[in-house]
Amino acid sequence: MALLVSSPHVTYPSPSSISHIPLNSKCSLSSFSFQRTLYSSRRLQPPLIVASHLCTTTGTTTTTTTTTTVDTSLLNVAEAFSEDQLWAASCLRVRSFYNFAPTAYAIHDHKRDLAEREFEALKERVAGKREGFRRVSCINATLPLSELSSFSDDLCAECKFSDNGEDRVVVGTLDLNQCLRLPDEITGMKPEGIGADFLRAYLSNVCVAQELHRNGLGYSLVAKSKIVAQDWGITDLYVHVAIDNEPAKNLYMKSSFVYENDEPAWQARFLDRPRRLLLWIGLPGMQL
């Protein structure tokens, strides 16, 4: 199963040309596409809370990417706590959510700037310092470097970290957010009443390395997020999906999410992005 979030893809302009340019992001797994915008300050606003996607699109054209089968018995899906692993996850998000033209000006500087911004924002969220979020966990899917080094030097170089002396690579990532709502997204309706901020959570920033789509990594990330959410006492888990992102919708539906609501057309136009669906799954209550 392909593993990519439904965020838009972006071709990076030179710094002198940035004014008000809609960003299009790649395919990733968690929620669906989240369109970001470059502002006239010439500083790119990084993706902090991104919906998910599963396919790479440019306009109405779908881009086909060659994928590689890996030994998933070596896969580890777990919450990330070390700064090395959070940095690797941030790099994968930049790699997944943006498309850089080969001739772009200072491309490596742009990538590093984006990664540093997401890294600082991710550390803030995980540390519980982001207002409006009770708890945030970064969940990563990782594989040994030795399993990947033969076919993707770029992925290994950008998303590598060390874990107890072993070199591993972040190949998929998402955030689990315990909160009432995500910025600029449809708000879930369950549960109602007092305590909703304790019992409701959302998936965001879901993505999988494009070379490794169709290895079931998306399913593994979503399954792990359900386990962590249950441990937190979450009863209602949500994910936002672009209405035209069939691969991501299929992934969530097969993971037992169901339709709850959709974004008004006027809101999608205002935010300059594809309309979103809001999908929901109920989780068993905590065992006391």
Side-chain angles (χ1 to χ4, degrees):
M1 178 66 200
L3 249 149
L4 274 181
V5 183
S6 80
S7 301
H9 232 82
V10 165
T11 299
Y12 237 103
S14 65
S16 61
S17 66
I18 296 175
S19 56
H20 181 73
I21 306 170
L23 299 184
N24 291 319
S25 175
K26 283 187 186 176
C27 301
S28 209
L29 171 68
S30 172
S31 315
F32 274 34
S33 62
F34 176 82
Q35 297 203 260
R36 281 149 272 167
T37 305
L38 290 173
Y39 293 95
S40 57
S41 63
R42 293 190 180 182
R43 293 183 64 81
L44 178 65
Q45 307 304 308
L48 298 183
I49 307 293
V50 180
S52 67
H53 64 268
L54 276 171
C55 60
T56 303
T57 59
T58 303
T60 58
T61 303
T62 299
T63 303
T64 302
T65 302
T66 301
T67 59
T68 301
T69 301
V70 294
D71 183 358
T72 54
S73 68
L74 301 174
L75 184 70
N76 182 40
V77 183
E79 293 182 83
F81 299 102
S82 73
E83 290 199 356
D84 280 353
Q85 196 172 163
L86 294 177
W87 170 255
S90 299
C91 291
L92 179 62
R93 293 173 186 190
V94 170
R95 195 175 184 271
S96 299
F97 298 149
Y98 297 93
N99 185 31
F100 298 87
T103 57
Y105 174 80
I107 183 171
H108 295 296
D109 291 340
H110 285 313
K111 285 184 175 181
R112 180 144 191 112
D113 183 54
L114 284 168
E116 287 175 349
R117 295 174 187 222
E118 172 57 13
F119 177 55
E120 293 302 323
L122 180 55
K123 286 195 298 179
E124 181 182 70
R125 296 195 299 271
V126 170
K129 298 178 180 179
R130 178 73 179 269
E131 185 177 355
F133 291 78
R134 286 195 170 272
R135 195 170 183 179
V136 176
S137 178
C138 173
I139 299 173
N140 289 340
T142 70
L143 284 167
L145 177 65
S146 57
E147 178 70 9
L148 304 171
S149 56
S150 62
F151 70 87
S152 182
D153 292 341
D154 175 63
L155 175 64
C156 293
E158 294 183 6
C159 305
K160 182 180 72 172
F161 70 100
S162 182
D163 181 27
N164 292 323
E166 179 188 28
D167 287 336
R168 297 185 70 88
V169 179
V170 174
V171 294
T173 180
L174 64 76
D175 288 343
L176 174 65
N177 308 274
Q178 184 182 23
C179 57
L180 275 175
R181 63 185 62 84
L182 293 180
D184 296 326
E185 297 289 0
I186 318 166
T187 301
M189 302 302 293
K190 302 180 183 71
E192 298 178 354
I194 299 174
D197 52 342
F198 288 98
L199 303 176
R200 183 185 303 163
Y202 298 84
L203 302 182
S204 67
N205 293 335
V206 184
C207 62
V208 170
Q210 60 182 0
E211 301 94 330
L212 301 179
H213 292 182
R214 297 182 173 83
N215 276 284
L217 303 183
Y219 288 107
S220 297
L221 281 167
V222 172
K224 180 63 177 180
S225 71
K226 292 179 185 177
I227 293 172
V228 175
Q230 276 188 264
D231 289 344
W232 290 1
I234 300 299
T235 60
D236 298 272
L237 182 61
Y238 285 95
V239 66
H240 298 89
V241 179
I243 201 166
D244 59 350
N245 191 329
E246 294 302 325
K249 286 191 288 186
N250 290 338
L251 167 70
Y252 293 119
M253 296 296 187
K254 289 180 180 179
S255 298
S256 300
F257 282 81
V258 297
Y259 168 87
E260 180 176 290
N261 201 353
D262 55 75
E263 183 177 40
W266 67 264
Q267 181 172 321
R269 287 195 299 270
F270 178 78
L271 294 171
D272 191 24
R273 69 186 188 191
R275 288 177 63 203
R276 302 275 211 279
L277 298 179
L278 178 64
L279 305 182
W280 165 86
I281 185 173
L283 301 176
M286 283 181 57
Q287 300 299 314
L288 299 178

